[in-house]
Amino acid sequence: MSTEVKLADDRLDYSLEDLLASGDFAEPLIAGGVRCHGGFDADGVYGSPRVLHRKPAIQAWQRALQAQGHELLEISSDLMPPQYPSVDQAVLLCRNGVREPVVRALTIISVVEGFGAIIRDVKMPDLESIVVEPFHGTALAHLAGGLFEAHARDEAGWGDEGGHKQMWEAARDLAFESPEIPDDVLMRIMGGPGGRGRPRKRGFPQIDETFERMVGLMSNVLIVELFAEEVFRWGKAVLANPEISAEPEQASAMVGYIESDENPHVEYLRTALSEVAARNLRTSDGAILSGREVVHGTLHSMLRQITRQRPEEQRAQVRENMAKLFTQAENPSALREEFESLEQPWSPPPHTGFEPQLPDSG
Amino acid sequence: MVAAAPHWIRTPASGLRLGVQQNRLWRTWRVARTGIYIWAIYKFPSWTRRLLGRPTPSLRPTHERAAHAVLACALEMQGPIIKVCQGIATRSDVFPRAVVEILKQCHDAVPAREYSAVKAVVEQELGKPLDAVFSDFDTRPLASASLAQVHRARLHDGREVAVKVQYPGLEALVKTDLRSVRIACRVYEFFDPQPIALLPLLTEITDHTAMELDFRREADSADHVREIFSEGEGVIVPEVYREWSTGRVLTMELVEGIKITELEALEAAGLDPGQVVQDLMQIFVRMIFAAGFFQADPHPGNLMVRPSGDIIVIDYGLSKHLPRGFGMGLFELLFSMMTMNESAMVRAFTELGFRTEDGDTDVFLLIARRMMRRSDTGRFEGEFTEEMTGELFDAIRENPLVDVPTDFVLVGRVFSFLSGIAHTLGHEANVLEAMGART
Ligand SMILES: Nc1ncnc2c1ncn2[C@@H]1O[C@H](COP(=O)(O)OP(=O)(O)O)[C@@H](O)[C@H]1O
Ligand SMILES: [Fe+2]
Ligand SMILES: [Fe+2]
């Protein structure tokens, strides 16, 4: 946690090793027999991995950006869709012996967390030739130099040290005593229909494609990281329920550790995107485009898509084989009725906060 | 597969145009002759070397000679022996590279049969004269392969079809030939102090051949894959017209498209080759990781692209169910190689069914490290390149593994094919990216 608030540290340049360095831990974190990242101090307080310099660095970059009169972009938490099934619904199902949807949800979360590691393999554009204003000493300048790598290792683990993927698995296995994993997990994670061989539609065809893709991936990951707050709330509440969880304390604490590791992810991504938004970009034909237009435009279209489509999809997927599962319970029709009575309709707010300023810009 | 026999294939005296030489005694002798020859070329040099006290030279030239002898035997005999060669050519985890390279030629080396023979099979199988079913039937085949050839035809209602017709008398030949090969294997195992376990392999090839001989199974497999992609994912599986199909004749919807490796034709149709690769990967990733059932033979001859971007997948002769948990196990393996997590690699190999003689799991790490050293970053980045699968199979062959799951080998081969296609189109075949997980 943030015990080391060093106000004086205004260093803006860090090496790869710096950004990957962890402090000392009195005790390692062992989850479900697997050594995981991070650890505990002498008082038993959990500390995240790789934040020795990463955390002060991000804070310094943020201060520098604000000192130059720019804002840090902010995504409203009102946009965050609720997890389905809800905590109450999940607990109800488990209490009635229907654990599959919850086990599946936890497994999907662990796999998706692990996939976060692909951020390190994103193709880096030639920033020097695209970003007009100087950007040394920024988060943007450190993406390939440690920020992406640290993020990837946090999510998927590195070497024999587990990351969030293994920690979610451990939480699941602690609470539900190593349950059988539904075999459709990967099917549910995979994207929908492919691109049909057509060149993909681009939001900003005038800028370098590699750059556009990087901004797209960063925006997408930022949104997922932010919305994960709801996943953590859900995970902690479900796993801490002694009625359904075999290890309520350990399992929910695990989710708490993961949650505390995520903070630097959100912060470096929003800092780097804000830095792009505060600058101008050279288009492929030599014109100038404001970075704000690209970043806000990307966030706007992604937020619309994610808040409108994804909750519906998730709900539909969960409900798809619900009918079959209900039959495993002792009293299927009563369970169904109670489950339905716990439905809480949700609709996304009308605005994302990143609306294009002109009716048809971009 | 490919239409006409390449010109360099000499038609042997037995007269292939009239069909396969059916004389069993001749066939057994032909296999025996090849077996003795191979045994001799491996053994005599080592005896003379020992006599003269010379060091052991590379075996590669010997492997090549042996493979050529097997190839010649297969081409002369046709039928199931070709299948055995094709089977060997798919097992680079067992056989030396030189052998695999040479025997791969079997794929292109099958001359066409006489139309009259084909017609006879169709009529016998469907129990009707040919023109009672078809208003048109091309006398020249569209393609010919080891077990069957394909003719273009038209049904009376005007639908255009492809008719896959199995060569006559194959089942009987499978019995004789595989028995001969089996005996040859036994003899080999008796003489070789450290034999490759050929018999289990042969059993497997026999099983696969038997599978491919039953076209009803092929039709079922096609239906199964069509079902996997029933939500409009842009995958075309030719419809099988069961009414005009039997265990030996398959009447299918005729499909046409651009061959997947024809870069210029794809571009001319306004398609983005990178997207085609991505779509193709998604199709196979979905079958293997998610559905647990896959077409295991995606060589470029079996894949076409429509100008709409839809991808046509044909030939379900070799299609397989994967055991429960296989997709997840494979995913964990790739994932652990991406994150250099060695304990997870060991768990994943075990989960997939790999076993070592003495339970020593370090061998798994050796294998994984060899694969990963083929990547620039020293860790797996999501693509199973041909070099990586080559490295994998070399490592498996050189290490004391008792159990290598065939499914794994087949899947590795699939990704190697896909990577080859991707590279032909100037792109990469990234498995993890194709999983399209929403991070
Ligand atoms: N439905 C079809 N429509 C068009 N051509 C086909 C069809 N099925 C097969 N073919 C052609 O016949 C060739 C051989 O068929 P295939 O099923 O691949 O046989 P094999 O299993 O012997 O490889 C294919 O490569 C393709 O050119
Ligand atoms: Fe995470
Ligand atoms: Fe994260």
Side-chain angles (χ1 to χ4, degrees):
Chain A
M1 304 285 211
S2 58
T3 42
E4 77 276 70
V5 190
K6 283 187 239 149
L7 284 173
D9 199 346
D10 275 331
R11 206 174 121 200
L12 295 172
D13 286 305
Y14 295 83
S15 68
L16 178 82
E17 289 72 32
D18 286 341
L19 294 175
L20 295 176
S22 295
D24 293 329
F25 299 113
E27 214 187 304
L29 168 63
I30 312 265
V34 177
R35 166 94 161 83
C36 292
H37 67 211
F40 302 93
D41 66 14
D43 301 328
V45 177
Y46 175 78
S48 298
R50 295 173 272 270
V51 291
L52 184 64
H53 299 293
R54 189 165 44 141
K55 204 160 198 173
I58 296 170
Q59 286 165 352
W61 294 322
Q62 292 184 339
R63 280 195 300 275
L65 182 75
Q66 285 164 327
Q68 290 157 17
H70 300 294
E71 59 186 58
L72 264 173
L73 55 86
E74 200 83 55
I75 295 174
S76 160
S77 60
D78 292 345
L79 290 161
M80 190 161 68
Q83 179 80 7
Y84 190 90
S86 68
V87 174
D88 291 342
Q89 287 174 318
V91 170
L92 173 73
L93 290 175
C94 292
R95 246 194 349 237
N96 284 277
V98 183
R99 304 198 313 187
E100 199 185 286
V102 177
V103 171
R104 180 185 288 109
L106 288 166
T107 310
I108 287 177
I109 293 169
S110 79
V111 174
V112 170
E113 282 266 16
F115 260 112
I118 62 170
I119 198 158
R120 67 147 76 89
D121 288 321
V122 65
K123 255 210 210 114
M124 278 307 287
D126 177 13
L127 292 172
E128 293 288 345
S129 70
I130 299 166
V131 180
V132 176
E133 292 82 5
F135 59 91
H136 56 82
T138 60
L140 183 62
H142 288 81
L143 292 176
L147 290 174
F148 283 158
E149 185 64 34
H151 185 166
R153 294 184 183 190
D154 287 355
E155 302 293 15
W158 184 246
D160 277 358
E161 218 174 67
H164 293 167
K165 176 175 181 288
Q166 292 79 7
M167 287 158 82
W168 275 105
E169 287 167 359
R172 174 199 67 200
D173 293 347
L174 283 166
F176 297 109
E177 298 162 289
S178 305
E180 188 171 341
I181 309 302
D183 57 6
D184 61 349
V185 164
L186 293 176
M187 177 68 111
R188 284 170 194 270
I189 284 164
M190 285 183 204
R196 300 290 172 83
R198 298 279 145 210
R200 67 168 80 198
K201 276 211 190 68
R202 299 184 48 192
F204 299 94
Q206 66 273 49
I207 57 169
D208 175 71
E209 186 168 0
T210 313
F211 184 83
E212 189 188 7
R213 281 196 192 205
M214 184 187 77
V215 169
L217 181 65
M218 287 169 66
S219 305
N220 187 19
V221 175
L222 173 62
I223 296 168
V224 173
E225 294 276 347
L226 271 170
F227 290 180
E229 197 183 305
E230 162 68 6
V231 179
F232 295 123
R233 188 194 60 81
W234 179 89
K236 283 189 292 192
V238 171
L239 296 172
N241 188 319
E243 259 189 288
I244 60 169
S245 171
E247 289 285 356
E249 265 161 46
Q250 281 193 54
S252 65
M254 191 65 69
V255 178
Y257 305 151
I258 300 172
E259 183 174 17
S260 67
D261 296 343
E262 299 290 4
N263 178 271
H265 302 170
V266 171
E267 294 304 327
Y268 92 84
L269 287 167
R270 73 192 264 257
T271 308
L273 286 170
S274 304
E275 289 161 353
V276 173
R279 285 169 173 76
N280 287 297
L281 308 172
R282 232 175 297 239
T283 66
S284 309
D285 51 16
I288 299 292
L289 180 68
S290 101
R292 186 187 160 90
E293 196 177 315
V294 174
V295 170
H296 284 223
T298 306
L299 284 171
H300 175 67
S301 61
M302 274 187 184
L303 282 167
R304 276 181 71 94
Q305 208 252 338
I306 292 175
T307 54
R308 259 138 243 242
Q309 199 173 317
R310 222 167 273 181
E312 283 305 308
E313 278 176 11
Q314 195 191 29
R315 192 169 173 278
Q317 279 200 353
V318 171
R319 294 182 69 93
E320 197 183 286
N321 55 358
M322 207 64 118
K324 200 176 79 218
L325 285 170
F326 279 145
T327 59
Q328 296 168 6
E330 264 169 33
N331 189 343
S333 59
L335 177 60
R336 176 194 297 269
E337 219 167 273
E338 200 177 344
F339 184 87
E340 297 296 350
S341 75
L342 293 171
E343 283 290 283
Q344 285 170 325
W346 183 84
S347 49
H351 298 293
T352 63
F354 295 93
E355 274 70 18
Q357 280 155 342
L358 298 168
D360 57 3
S361 68
Chain B
M1 287 167 197
V2 178
H7 66 275
W8 48 265
I9 295 182
R10 275 168 310 214
T11 308
S14 51
L16 271 175
R17 313 228 107 247
L18 298 173
V20 179
Q21 167 65 260
Q22 301 269 356
N23 182 312
R24 295 195 185 172
L25 216 58
W26 178 83
R27 295 185 74 86
T28 308
W29 165 236
R30 188 67 189 78
V31 172
R33 222 173 73 200
T34 310
I36 293 168
Y37 172 73
I38 292 174
W39 181 74
I41 61 170
Y42 277 98
K43 286 301 151 189
F44 282 132
S46 74
W47 287 339
T48 38
R49 256 196 322 277
R50 237 176 283 157
L51 277 176
L52 303 174
R54 294 219 183 106
T56 316
S58 153
L59 272 178
R60 194 179 167 98
T62 318
H63 289 330
E64 281 173 3
R65 278 164 72 198
H68 277 297
V70 174
L71 182 66
C73 170
L75 294 180
E76 197 174 325
M77 289 179 66
Q78 293 292 312
I81 297 291
I82 294 254
K83 214 66 218 172
V84 171
C85 289
Q86 290 175 355
I88 292 176
T90 61
R91 294 306 296 266
S92 12
D93 58 320
V94 181
F95 296 97
R97 276 190 200 204
V99 171
V100 170
E101 287 309 314
I102 289 166
L103 292 187
K104 266 186 190 160
Q105 297 173 11
C106 271
H107 274 291
D108 310 337
V110 186
R113 303 297 153 81
E114 289 281 337
Y115 169 66
S116 58
V118 170
K119 180 171 185 256
V121 173
V122 177
E123 295 190 330
Q124 194 198 347
E125 285 292 308
L126 300 182
K128 289 193 176 121
L130 199 72
D131 51 16
V133 179
F134 305 101
S135 61
D136 254 329
F137 197 101
D138 250 353
T139 54
R140 286 193 27 215
L142 203 60
S144 59
S146 54
L147 301 178
Q149 70 191 35
V150 179
H151 287 254
R152 198 184 166 120
R154 190 187 293 277
L155 294 171
H156 280 295
D157 62 12
R159 278 181 292 181
E160 286 211 273
V161 292
V163 188
K164 187 168 172 177
V165 185
Q166 196 174 106
Y167 299 135
L170 275 187
E171 262 157 68
L173 290 187
V174 169
K175 279 210 191 93
T176 346
D177 288 358
L178 294 181
R179 197 175 49 221
S180 318
V181 177
R182 195 170 284 272
I183 292 169
C185 287
R186 288 238 172 80
V187 172
Y188 155 82
E189 287 192 358
F190 180 77
F191 281 107
D192 195 327
Q194 274 180 309
I196 301 177
L198 289 180
L199 280 175
L201 273 175
L202 188 68
T203 308
E204 200 175 285
I205 293 172
T206 315
D207 290 350
H208 284 172
T209 309
M211 236 164 82
E212 285 194 54
L213 278 178
D214 182 1
F215 283 0
R216 255 169 255 165
R217 204 194 145 102
E218 182 168 339
D220 291 344
S221 299
D223 286 348
H224 191 151
V225 171
R226 196 178 312 102
E227 180 60 32
I228 294 172
F229 297 104
S230 59
E231 282 173 36
E233 286 93 341
V235 184
I236 309 292
V237 179
E239 188 85 35
V240 177
Y241 302 129
R242 302 264 183 173
E243 210 182 334
W244 314 118
S245 300
T246 68
R248 295 195 188 91
V249 170
L250 212 53
T251 300
M252 302 168 266
E253 165 192 1
L254 185 88
V255 285
E256 277 163 313
I258 304 160
K259 190 174 173 191
I260 198 144
T261 42
E262 281 174 6
L263 182 58
E264 274 130 53
L266 292 176
E267 280 171 344
L271 297 170
D272 172 3
Q275 197 58 53
V276 170
V277 167
Q278 187 68 11
D279 292 348
L280 178 69
M281 287 302 291
Q282 270 177 9
I283 293 170
F284 280 87
V285 158
R286 181 173 277 262
M287 286 192 279
I288 290 168
F289 287 90
F293 185 84
F294 70 117
Q295 196 270 23
D297 201 13
H299 65 83
N302 287 339
L303 299 167
M304 291 175 261
V305 188
R306 285 203 176 143
S308 65
D310 289 347
I311 293 183
I312 302 171
V313 184
I314 61 168
D315 190 357
Y316 294 84
L318 186 56
S319 307
K320 287 207 84 179
H321 272 287
L322 291 167
R324 207 192 128 90
F326 186 92
M328 205 66 184
L330 188 64
F331 169 73
E332 291 291 342
L333 178 64
L334 302 189
F335 207 88
S336 61
M337 295 204 314
M338 181 176 83
T339 56
M340 313 277 278
N341 185 334
E342 300 203 328
S343 51
M345 288 178 213
V346 169
R347 275 198 303 275
F349 271 117
T350 314
E351 172 86 359
L352 285 170
F354 280 82
R355 296 286 177 271
T356 55
E357 216 141 286
D358 45 8
D360 171 18
T361 49
D362 282 351
V363 175
F364 298 154
L365 296 180
L366 281 176
I367 295 174
R369 286 194 201 117
R370 274 185 68 170
M371 281 172 79
M372 291 186 298
R373 85 174 178 208
R374 284 288 176 169
S375 112
D376 299 336
T377 51
R379 60 181 173 79
F380 180 62
E381 282 165 278
E383 182 175 17
F384 248 127
T385 58
E386 288 163 292
E387 295 80 43
M388 271 177 73
T389 17
E391 198 74 57
L392 167 74
F393 293 145
D394 286 349
I396 290 179
R397 210 171 44 240
E398 290 159 21
N399 283 290
L401 288 165
V402 264
D403 253 334
V404 177
T406 318
D407 293 321
F408 183 85
V409 175
L410 282 175
V411 166
R413 190 171 150 265
V414 164
F415 284 124
S416 169
F417 267 137
L418 296 177
S419 166
I421 292 170
H423 288 211
T424 309
L425 297 181
H427 286 269
E428 284 178 7
N430 193 304
V431 178
L432 294 171
E433 202 175 303
M435 295 189 81
R438 295 130 168 222
T439 40

